Amino acid sequence: MEFDSNGGYNGTMLDVPLHRVLPDKCTMLEADALGRLPARTRGVMEFVIDDLGQRSAKAQGLGAVITTVRKMMYTDQRLYVNRTDRAINGMLKVGRKNLFIRDHATGKMNEINPMCVLDFYVHESVQRGGIGKQLFEEMLSRERMDPSQFGYDRPSPKLIGFLRKHYGLVDFDPQPNNYVVFKAYFNKTNSARGPAQQRQPNAGRRAPYDTSEHAACG
């Protein structure tokens, strides 16, 4: 997904050059701020984010696109976008969800409200190059959470393998809602970044993204 300083993006000329709307190598975009962007900037963001969402849906074999600017509006979702000087490498979307998770050992149903990984995509040309790990680690740093404290929406076999390889997460009960919540989630002392230190809605956050201020990772 290449772009240039003149506003070109995959052969399409954008109204605003991409390096101006994504000024950092890893930028965090808040859903509630996207609607306040100037029209031209929002148009560029819609074009790029919707393209990422389509590519992600295709790569995962989903029946519908789950990440677009319109679908993010009026939610608490945050989107992390990773780029180099000339290409967008991938994105990761998180947001809280109310979930009912059954403990298969006891039959107990737990109602929880975890932060969830809702979409995770790395462009095919840079997979296995460390981009996914870099993007995930930046998200963890910004969210101030341990990977075991997230829910994962319909994780692909690649994501399950990624979490096993890099974070040792393997133990979970399959759920009818297709979310994966690892059993470590329910262990309140499993990590220094566990639930007790999950951030409050406005803790440790920079000003929402606009044309002059943005939250960036790295």
Side-chain angles (χ1 to χ4, degrees):
M1 297 174 286
E2 295 184 348
F3 63 90
D4 59 46
S5 60
N6 296 318
Y9 174 75
N10 282 351
T12 299
M13 290 302 296
L14 304 176
D15 287 340
V16 181
L18 199 54
H19 68 275
R20 294 184 185 176
V21 297
L22 296 174
D24 294 284
K25 297 300 175 67
C26 185
T27 301
M28 188 267 281
L29 307 171
E30 298 188 80
D32 62 358
L34 290 172
R36 300 195 297 271
L37 293 173
R40 292 176 64 199
T41 303
R42 177 175 169 178
V44 170
M45 296 307 300
E46 286 191 13
F47 188 89
V48 173
I49 291 173
D50 292 4
D51 179 55
L52 284 168
Q54 291 172 8
R55 291 172 183 270
S56 178
K58 182 178 180 180
Q60 297 180 65
L62 302 179
V65 176
I66 59 176
T67 297
T68 69
V69 168
R70 290 186 181 277
K71 288 183 177 181
M72 287 181 64
M73 297 291 289
Y74 311 112
T75 72
D76 69 347
Q77 295 173 2
R78 292 181 286 283
L79 186 72
Y80 294 81
V81 181
N82 180 288
R83 71 167 179 84
T84 58
D85 289 336
R86 297 188 61 83
I88 292 181
N89 295 321
M91 59 90 174
L92 193 163
K93 184 175 73 172
V94 299
R96 289 199 177 274
K97 292 288 183 179
N98 290 314
L99 302 177
F100 289 91
I101 300 297
R102 182 179 296 279
D103 183 337
H104 287 199
T106 64
K108 180 182 178 181
M109 186 70 77
N110 298 287
E111 183 178 6
I112 60 177
N113 180 237
M115 185 66 72
C116 293
V117 172
L118 303 173
D119 203 357
F120 189 14
Y121 170 70
V122 175
H123 192 268
E124 290 76 8
S125 66
V126 292
Q127 288 182 8
R128 301 186 181 278
I131 296 297
K133 180 67 157 40
Q134 178 184 342
L135 187 55
F136 202 84
E137 281 291 317
E138 294 287 6
M139 180 275 293
L140 293 177
S141 177
R142 287 291 300 178
E143 301 296 330
R144 300 181 181 180
M145 293 175 61
D146 186 88
S148 66
Q149 299 306 310
F150 286 80
Y152 297 86
D153 184 11
R154 301 174 185 268
S156 67
K158 283 186 178 180
L159 179 52
I160 291 293
F162 173 89
L163 295 169
R164 179 178 62 250
K165 175 182 178 180
H166 295 293
Y167 303 107
L169 295 174
V170 296
D171 197 8
F172 66 91
D173 292 325
Q175 303 293 326
N177 59 14
N178 293 313
Y179 274 81
V180 164
V181 175
F182 291 96
K183 292 186 178 181
Y185 175 91
F186 300 98
N187 180 356
K188 303 303 184 183
T189 62
N190 78 304
S191 168
R193 288 190 295 187
Q197 294 193 24
Q198 290 182 13
R199 70 178 189 174
Q200 296 302 310
N202 293 312
R205 288 165 62 180
R206 292 171 59 180
Y209 179 93
D210 60 29
T211 54
S212 60
E213 293 181 282
H214 53 274
C217 45

